[in-house]
Amino acid sequence: MIHYKTREEIELMRESAQIVSKTLGALAAEVKPGVTPLELDAIAETCIRDHGAIPGFLGLYDFPNTLCMSLNQQVVHGIPNKTPLQEGDIISIDCGALKNGFYGDHAYTFEVGEVAPEVRELLKVTKECLDLGIAQVKKGNRIGDVSFAIQQHAEKHGYGVVRELVGHGLGKKMHEGPEVPNFGKRGRGPVIKEGLVIAIEPMINLGTKEVRQLSDGWTIITGDNKPSAHFEHDVAVVDGKPEVLSTFSYIEEALKKTSAI
């Protein structure tokens, strides 16, 4: 079911989304060779709680941690562990926060040191896919318009678009209607209306679109073990237009400071 939000509810959701954005910004300076995903997970939990929120993923569907952390060929839902990050890795960090009864849900794929040029291009194009999808979140459009924009741009670059995992509506539950696939046809799917809030999250693979799940019951990896990228924003329809409730600005500021050192 799709639950359309009032302006007041959207502002509460913005607060939750911004807490996630600030948490990812705090992590940006810490993502480097030698740090472990579990260390980053602890930082994130502290940051979320310090902002008066509850980690949105911790315990959700029995997930054991604050962050989903997916390394290299892992697409999404990776479980943080004690293995240090290495130069040349990429890691998708997906984070959720619950405050005032509403969720924020937001993700960014980080480079660990210097990554291969083809991997950096994958990240660039995946982020562009997100922006193109957001641009289609207009009153009167359909979800398929968002999906088509993402798929077309990714496949134009020869990348695989994951089918088994999709974006989603967001609100008092982490996952509400409608589903927001990263593939589809224009003019198909639910009509986009005022007050819709969705999490758009392209999951784009360097190689095949095929994926499989590991025996932990959570981690999804690419079928050919090539890298995958994942970026996510929370987007509301306000005055008929897309309004992004989350932001990458905290991440970008932290990465600029890190690169200047």
Side-chain angles (χ1 to χ4, degrees), residues 214-250:
L214 296 184
S215 59
D216 64 15
W218 283 101
T219 309
I220 304 295
I221 69 169
T222 58
D224 55 9
N225 289 317
K226 291 184 178 180
S228 181
H230 174 219
F231 292 89
E232 179 180 18
H233 269 316
D234 301 337
V235 186
V237 181
V238 178
D239 293 329
K241 300 176 182 178
E243 188 161 316
V244 183
L245 305 181
S246 46
T247 180
F248 290 150
S249 63
Y250 300 107

mmCIF file of all heavy atoms in Angstrom, residues 214-250:
data_model
loop_
_atom_site.group_PDB
_atom_site.id
_atom_site.type_symbol
_atom_site.label_atom_id
_atom_site.label_comp_id
_atom_site.label_asym_id
_atom_site.label_seq_id
_atom_site.Cartn_x
_atom_site.Cartn_y
_atom_site.Cartn_z
ATOM 1 N N LEU A 214 24.591 -15.192 -0.477
ATOM 2 C CA LEU A 214 25.526 -16.035 0.263
ATOM 3 C C LEU A 214 24.798 -16.828 1.351
ATOM 4 O O LEU A 214 23.642 -16.555 1.682
ATOM 5 C CB LEU A 214 26.624 -15.177 0.879
ATOM 6 C CG LEU A 214 27.552 -14.435 -0.099
ATOM 7 C CD1 LEU A 214 28.657 -13.712 0.662
ATOM 8 C CD2 LEU A 214 28.156 -15.390 -1.127
ATOM 9 N N SER A 215 25.515 -17.772 1.930
ATOM 10 C CA SER A 215 24.916 -18.670 2.914
ATOM 11 C C SER A 215 24.557 -17.970 4.219
ATOM 12 O O SER A 215 23.842 -18.548 5.052
ATOM 13 C CB SER A 215 25.861 -19.841 3.205
ATOM 14 O OG SER A 215 27.109 -19.369 3.698
ATOM 15 N N ASP A 216 25.029 -16.730 4.427
ATOM 16 C CA ASP A 216 24.650 -16.005 5.651
ATOM 17 C C ASP A 216 23.188 -15.571 5.627
ATOM 18 O O ASP A 216 22.667 -15.067 6.623
ATOM 19 C CB ASP A 216 25.585 -14.828 5.909
ATOM 20 C CG ASP A 216 25.536 -13.746 4.824
ATOM 21 O OD1 ASP A 216 24.602 -13.736 4.006
ATOM 22 O OD2 ASP A 216 26.459 -12.902 4.795
ATOM 23 N N GLY A 217 22.536 -15.736 4.472
ATOM 24 C CA GLY A 217 21.131 -15.378 4.359
ATOM 25 C C GLY A 217 20.871 -13.911 4.095
ATOM 26 O O GLY A 217 19.712 -13.492 3.964
ATOM 27 N N TRP A 218 21.935 -13.114 3.983
ATOM 28 C CA TRP A 218 21.803 -11.681 3.777
ATOM 29 C C TRP A 218 22.566 -11.170 2.552
ATOM 30 O O TRP A 218 21.987 -10.543 1.674
ATOM 31 C CB TRP A 218 22.308 -10.913 5.024
ATOM 32 C CG TRP A 218 21.344 -10.933 6.150
ATOM 33 C CD1 TRP A 218 21.392 -11.720 7.263
ATOM 34 C CD2 TRP A 218 20.148 -10.151 6.274
ATOM 35 N NE1 TRP A 218 20.319 -11.473 8.080
ATOM 36 C CE2 TRP A 218 19.541 -10.512 7.500
ATOM 37 C CE3 TRP A 218 19.549 -9.188 5.483
ATOM 38 C CZ2 TRP A 218 18.350 -9.939 7.941
ATOM 39 C CZ3 TRP A 218 18.368 -8.611 5.917
ATOM 40 C CH2 TRP A 218 17.783 -8.989 7.131
ATOM 41 N N THR A 219 23.849 -11.431 2.509
ATOM 42 C CA THR A 219 24.721 -10.787 1.532
ATOM 43 C C THR A 219 24.398 -11.220 0.104
ATOM 44 O O THR A 219 24.347 -12.409 -0.208
ATOM 45 C CB THR A 219 26.193 -11.109 1.829
ATOM 46 O OG1 THR A 219 26.469 -10.838 3.199
ATOM 47 C CG2 THR A 219 27.110 -10.275 0.947
ATOM 48 N N ILE A 220 24.198 -10.224 -0.760
ATOM 49 C CA ILE A 220 23.953 -10.467 -2.185
ATOM 50 C C ILE A 220 25.220 -10.099 -2.948
ATOM 51 O O ILE A 220 25.772 -9.010 -2.759
ATOM 52 C CB ILE A 220 22.777 -9.611 -2.699
ATOM 53 C CG1 ILE A 220 21.518 -9.862 -1.865
ATOM 54 C CG2 ILE A 220 22.530 -9.871 -4.180
ATOM 55 C CD1 ILE A 220 20.965 -11.256 -1.958
ATOM 56 N N ILE A 221 25.690 -11.001 -3.823
ATOM 57 C CA ILE A 221 26.896 -10.728 -4.607
ATOM 58 C C ILE A 221 26.592 -10.886 -6.100
ATOM 59 O O ILE A 221 25.616 -11.521 -6.496
ATOM 60 C CB ILE A 221 28.074 -11.639 -4.205
ATOM 61 C CG1 ILE A 221 27.818 -13.100 -4.613
ATOM 62 C CG2 ILE A 221 28.350 -11.546 -2.712
ATOM 63 C CD1 ILE A 221 29.054 -13.973 -4.477
ATOM 64 N N THR A 222 27.455 -10.317 -6.919
ATOM 65 C CA THR A 222 27.296 -10.410 -8.366
ATOM 66 C C THR A 222 27.585 -11.835 -8.835
ATOM 67 O O THR A 222 28.418 -12.540 -8.263
ATOM 68 C CB THR A 222 28.226 -9.430 -9.089
ATOM 69 O OG1 THR A 222 29.586 -9.700 -8.710
ATOM 70 C CG2 THR A 222 27.892 -7.996 -8.721
ATOM 71 N N GLY A 223 26.915 -12.242 -9.901
ATOM 72 C CA GLY A 223 27.070 -13.591 -10.406
ATOM 73 C C GLY A 223 28.438 -13.876 -10.983
ATOM 74 O O GLY A 223 28.867 -15.041 -11.034
ATOM 75 N N ASP A 224 29.158 -12.826 -11.403
ATOM 76 C CA ASP A 224 30.493 -13.007 -11.998
ATOM 77 C C ASP A 224 31.614 -12.480 -11.108
ATOM 78 O O ASP A 224 32.766 -12.410 -11.525
ATOM 79 C CB ASP A 224 30.562 -12.337 -13.371
ATOM 80 C CG ASP A 224 30.184 -10.861 -13.342
ATOM 81 O OD1 ASP A 224 30.029 -10.298 -12.227
ATOM 82 O OD2 ASP A 224 30.022 -10.262 -14.422
ATOM 83 N N ASN A 225 31.268 -12.085 -9.873
ATOM 84 C CA ASN A 225 32.235 -11.568 -8.892
ATOM 85 C C ASN A 225 32.901 -10.263 -9.313
ATOM 86 O O ASN A 225 33.936 -9.883 -8.771
ATOM 87 C CB ASN A 225 33.307 -12.617 -8.560
ATOM 88 C CG ASN A 225 32.748 -13.757 -7.730
ATOM 89 O OD1 ASN A 225 31.990 -13.541 -6.792
ATOM 90 N ND2 ASN A 225 33.096 -14.981 -8.096
ATOM 91 N N LYS A 226 32.288 -9.545 -10.253
ATOM 92 C CA LYS A 226 32.781 -8.209 -10.600
ATOM 93 C C LYS A 226 32.134 -7.180 -9.671
ATOM 94 O O LYS A 226 31.084 -7.436 -9.083
ATOM 95 C CB LYS A 226 32.478 -7.894 -12.066
ATOM 96 C CG LYS A 226 33.282 -8.725 -13.041
ATOM 97 C CD LYS A 226 33.009 -8.311 -14.484
ATOM 98 C CE LYS A 226 33.853 -9.126 -15.458
ATOM 99 N NZ LYS A 226 33.599 -8.743 -16.867
ATOM 100 N N PRO A 227 32.736 -5.998 -9.532
ATOM 101 C CA PRO A 227 32.229 -5.006 -8.576
ATOM 102 C C PRO A 227 30.814 -4.527 -8.879
ATOM 103 O O PRO A 227 30.352 -4.563 -10.025
ATOM 104 C CB PRO A 227 33.232 -3.858 -8.702
ATOM 105 C CG PRO A 227 34.470 -4.476 -9.245
ATOM 106 C CD PRO A 227 34.002 -5.570 -10.148
ATOM 107 N N SER A 228 30.158 -4.062 -7.824
ATOM 108 C CA SER A 228 28.820 -3.485 -7.923
ATOM 109 C C SER A 228 28.796 -2.159 -7.160
ATOM 110 O O SER A 228 29.483 -2.006 -6.148
ATOM 111 C CB SER A 228 27.784 -4.435 -7.326
ATOM 112 O OG SER A 228 26.478 -3.906 -7.443
ATOM 113 N N ALA A 229 28.005 -1.210 -7.646
ATOM 114 C CA ALA A 229 27.872 0.098 -6.996
ATOM 115 C C ALA A 229 26.429 0.332 -6.577
ATOM 116 O O ALA A 229 25.491 -0.187 -7.201
ATOM 117 C CB ALA A 229 28.336 1.209 -7.931
ATOM 118 N N HIS A 230 26.253 1.144 -5.534
ATOM 119 C CA HIS A 230 24.930 1.362 -4.937
ATOM 120 C C HIS A 230 24.889 2.755 -4.331
ATOM 121 O O HIS A 230 25.695 3.092 -3.471
ATOM 122 C CB HIS A 230 24.698 0.287 -3.857
ATOM 123 C CG HIS A 230 23.452 0.452 -3.058
ATOM 124 N ND1 HIS A 230 23.408 0.196 -1.701
ATOM 125 C CD2 HIS A 230 22.201 0.825 -3.405
ATOM 126 C CE1 HIS A 230 22.185 0.396 -1.259
ATOM 127 N NE2 HIS A 230 21.436 0.785 -2.270
ATOM 128 N N PHE A 231 23.961 3.575 -4.811
ATOM 129 C CA PHE A 231 23.718 4.895 -4.235
ATOM 130 C C PHE A 231 22.216 5.041 -4.009
ATOM 131 O O PHE A 231 21.411 4.521 -4.780
ATOM 132 C CB PHE A 231 24.197 6.006 -5.172
ATOM 133 C CG PHE A 231 25.697 6.071 -5.325
ATOM 134 C CD1 PHE A 231 26.335 5.329 -6.308
ATOM 135 C CD2 PHE A 231 26.463 6.856 -4.489
ATOM 136 C CE1 PHE A 231 27.712 5.378 -6.466
ATOM 137 C CE2 PHE A 231 27.848 6.911 -4.628
ATOM 138 C CZ PHE A 231 28.472 6.170 -5.622
ATOM 139 N N GLU A 232 21.851 5.777 -2.945
ATOM 140 C CA GLU A 232 20.429 5.877 -2.585
ATOM 141 C C GLU A 232 20.112 7.234 -1.985
ATOM 142 O O GLU A 232 20.865 7.769 -1.178
ATOM 143 C CB GLU A 232 20.083 4.774 -1.580
ATOM 144 C CG GLU A 232 18.643 4.763 -1.106
ATOM 145 C CD GLU A 232 18.370 3.643 -0.119
ATOM 146 O OE1 GLU A 232 19.349 3.092 0.449
ATOM 147 O OE2 GLU A 232 17.193 3.313 0.094
ATOM 148 N N HIS A 233 18.967 7.787 -2.407
ATOM 149 C CA HIS A 233 18.418 9.005 -1.817
ATOM 150 C C HIS A 233 16.946 8.802 -1.474
ATOM 151 O O HIS A 233 16.247 7.991 -2.102
ATOM 152 C CB HIS A 233 18.516 10.181 -2.793
ATOM 153 C CG HIS A 233 19.769 10.989 -2.673
ATOM 154 N ND1 HIS A 233 20.302 11.381 -1.463
ATOM 155 C CD2 HIS A 233 20.592 11.511 -3.634
ATOM 156 C CE1 HIS A 233 21.398 12.106 -1.680
ATOM 157 N NE2 HIS A 233 21.589 12.192 -2.977
ATOM 158 N N ASP A 234 16.473 9.584 -0.489
ATOM 159 C CA ASP A 234 15.058 9.651 -0.145
ATOM 160 C C ASP A 234 14.462 10.867 -0.850
ATOM 161 O O ASP A 234 14.963 11.987 -0.692
ATOM 162 C CB ASP A 234 14.877 9.799 1.364
ATOM 163 C CG ASP A 234 15.494 8.645 2.136
ATOM 164 O OD1 ASP A 234 15.665 7.564 1.549
ATOM 165 O OD2 ASP A 234 15.808 8.832 3.332
ATOM 166 N N VAL A 235 13.390 10.652 -1.606
ATOM 167 C CA VAL A 235 12.831 11.697 -2.463
ATOM 168 C C VAL A 235 11.338 11.835 -2.217
ATOM 169 O O VAL A 235 10.596 10.841 -2.234
ATOM 170 C CB VAL A 235 13.081 11.369 -3.957
ATOM 171 C CG1 VAL A 235 12.635 12.538 -4.836
ATOM 172 C CG2 VAL A 235 14.550 11.046 -4.217
ATOM 173 N N ALA A 236 10.893 13.073 -1.996
ATOM 174 C CA ALA A 236 9.473 13.365 -1.800
ATOM 175 C C ALA A 236 8.944 14.185 -2.971
ATOM 176 O O ALA A 236 9.691 14.927 -3.612
ATOM 177 C CB ALA A 236 9.271 14.133 -0.497
ATOM 178 N N VAL A 237 7.656 14.044 -3.232
ATOM 179 C CA VAL A 237 6.995 14.890 -4.234
ATOM 180 C C VAL A 237 6.361 16.061 -3.500
ATOM 181 O O VAL A 237 5.416 15.897 -2.722
ATOM 182 C CB VAL A 237 5.936 14.104 -5.022
ATOM 183 C CG1 VAL A 237 5.275 15.007 -6.068
ATOM 184 C CG2 VAL A 237 6.551 12.881 -5.681
ATOM 185 N N VAL A 238 6.910 17.254 -3.740
ATOM 186 C CA VAL A 238 6.447 18.480 -3.089
ATOM 187 C C VAL A 238 6.150 19.511 -4.178
ATOM 188 O O VAL A 238 7.004 19.800 -5.014
ATOM 189 C CB VAL A 238 7.506 19.032 -2.115
ATOM 190 C CG1 VAL A 238 7.023 20.332 -1.479
ATOM 191 C CG2 VAL A 238 7.828 18.003 -1.033
ATOM 192 N N ASP A 239 4.932 20.021 -4.183
ATOM 193 C CA ASP A 239 4.489 20.933 -5.245
ATOM 194 C C ASP A 239 4.703 20.314 -6.621
ATOM 195 O O ASP A 239 5.058 20.998 -7.595
ATOM 196 C CB ASP A 239 5.223 22.275 -5.151
ATOM 197 C CG ASP A 239 4.844 23.062 -3.902
ATOM 198 O OD1 ASP A 239 3.692 22.922 -3.441
ATOM 199 O OD2 ASP A 239 5.699 23.797 -3.377
ATOM 200 N N GLY A 240 4.501 19.009 -6.689
ATOM 201 C CA GLY A 240 4.562 18.306 -7.962
ATOM 202 C C GLY A 240 5.948 17.983 -8.460
ATOM 203 O O GLY A 240 6.105 17.381 -9.522
ATOM 204 N N LYS A 241 6.971 18.351 -7.682
ATOM 205 C CA LYS A 241 8.345 18.168 -8.128
ATOM 206 C C LYS A 241 9.135 17.324 -7.117
ATOM 207 O O LYS A 241 8.761 17.238 -5.960
ATOM 208 C CB LYS A 241 9.022 19.535 -8.303
ATOM 209 C CG LYS A 241 8.346 20.431 -9.328
ATOM 210 C CD LYS A 241 9.011 21.800 -9.367
ATOM 211 C CE LYS A 241 8.314 22.714 -10.351
ATOM 212 N NZ LYS A 241 8.921 24.077 -10.369
ATOM 213 N N PRO A 242 10.267 16.755 -7.571
ATOM 214 C CA PRO A 242 11.080 15.966 -6.643
ATOM 215 C C PRO A 242 11.834 16.848 -5.654
ATOM 216 O O PRO A 242 12.436 17.857 -6.037
ATOM 217 C CB PRO A 242 12.062 15.238 -7.571
ATOM 218 C CG PRO A 242 12.163 16.093 -8.792
ATOM 219 C CD PRO A 242 10.815 16.729 -8.946
ATOM 220 N N GLU A 243 11.780 16.477 -4.395
ATOM 221 C CA GLU A 243 12.559 17.156 -3.365
ATOM 222 C C GLU A 243 13.366 16.087 -2.624
ATOM 223 O O GLU A 243 12.794 15.184 -2.018
ATOM 224 C CB GLU A 243 11.655 17.919 -2.409
ATOM 225 C CG GLU A 243 12.422 18.799 -1.443
ATOM 226 C CD GLU A 243 11.536 19.868 -0.829
ATOM 227 O OE1 GLU A 243 10.749 20.505 -1.550
ATOM 228 O OE2 GLU A 243 11.647 20.051 0.398
ATOM 229 N N VAL A 244 14.686 16.188 -2.703
ATOM 230 C CA VAL A 244 15.563 15.188 -2.095
ATOM 231 C C VAL A 244 15.712 15.502 -0.618
ATOM 232 O O VAL A 244 16.166 16.585 -0.237
ATOM 233 C CB VAL A 244 16.934 15.153 -2.799
ATOM 234 C CG1 VAL A 244 17.812 14.056 -2.188
ATOM 235 C CG2 VAL A 244 16.766 14.905 -4.296
ATOM 236 N N LEU A 245 15.320 14.565 0.231
ATOM 237 C CA LEU A 245 15.336 14.778 1.676
ATOM 238 C C LEU A 245 16.702 14.471 2.283
ATOM 239 O O LEU A 245 17.048 15.010 3.328
ATOM 240 C CB LEU A 245 14.272 13.906 2.338
ATOM 241 C CG LEU A 245 12.839 14.061 1.805
ATOM 242 C CD1 LEU A 245 11.889 13.155 2.583
ATOM 243 C CD2 LEU A 245 12.380 15.513 1.864
ATOM 244 N N SER A 246 17.444 13.582 1.656
ATOM 245 C CA SER A 246 18.806 13.248 2.089
ATOM 246 C C SER A 246 19.795 14.070 1.264
ATOM 247 O O SER A 246 19.405 14.780 0.338
ATOM 248 C CB SER A 246 19.055 11.743 1.900
ATOM 249 O OG SER A 246 18.604 11.304 0.625
ATOM 250 N N THR A 247 21.083 13.981 1.621
ATOM 251 C CA THR A 247 22.094 14.754 0.897
ATOM 252 C C THR A 247 23.442 14.046 0.945
ATOM 253 O O THR A 247 23.748 13.352 1.919
ATOM 254 C CB THR A 247 22.235 16.181 1.476
ATOM 255 O OG1 THR A 247 23.230 16.877 0.748
ATOM 256 C CG2 THR A 247 22.629 16.145 2.948
ATOM 257 N N PHE A 248 24.222 14.249 -0.117
ATOM 258 C CA PHE A 248 25.599 13.762 -0.123
ATOM 259 C C PHE A 248 26.580 14.856 0.314
ATOM 260 O O PHE A 248 27.787 14.641 0.310
ATOM 261 C CB PHE A 248 25.993 13.300 -1.530
ATOM 262 C CG PHE A 248 25.317 12.035 -1.991
ATOM 263 C CD1 PHE A 248 25.057 11.826 -3.337
ATOM 264 C CD2 PHE A 248 24.965 11.040 -1.082
ATOM 265 C CE1 PHE A 248 24.446 10.658 -3.775
ATOM 266 C CE2 PHE A 248 24.347 9.869 -1.516
ATOM 267 C CZ PHE A 248 24.087 9.682 -2.865
ATOM 268 N N SER A 249 26.080 16.025 0.689
ATOM 269 C CA SER A 249 26.971 17.158 0.950
ATOM 270 C C SER A 249 27.914 16.906 2.130
ATOM 271 O O SER A 249 29.085 17.319 2.085
ATOM 272 C CB SER A 249 26.154 18.431 1.200
ATOM 273 O OG SER A 249 25.347 18.310 2.353
ATOM 274 N N TYR A 250 27.438 16.221 3.174
ATOM 275 C CA TYR A 250 28.308 15.938 4.317
ATOM 276 C C TYR A 250 29.440 14.993 3.918
ATOM 277 O O TYR A 250 30.583 15.141 4.364
ATOM 278 C CB TYR A 250 27.504 15.331 5.471
ATOM 279 C CG TYR A 250 26.406 16.221 5.988
ATOM 280 C CD1 TYR A 250 25.073 15.938 5.724
ATOM 281 C CD2 TYR A 250 26.704 17.360 6.736
ATOM 282 C CE1 TYR A 250 24.058 16.757 6.185
ATOM 283 C CE2 TYR A 250 25.693 18.189 7.204
ATOM 284 C CZ TYR A 250 24.375 17.887 6.924
ATOM 285 O OH TYR A 250 23.369 18.714 7.380
#
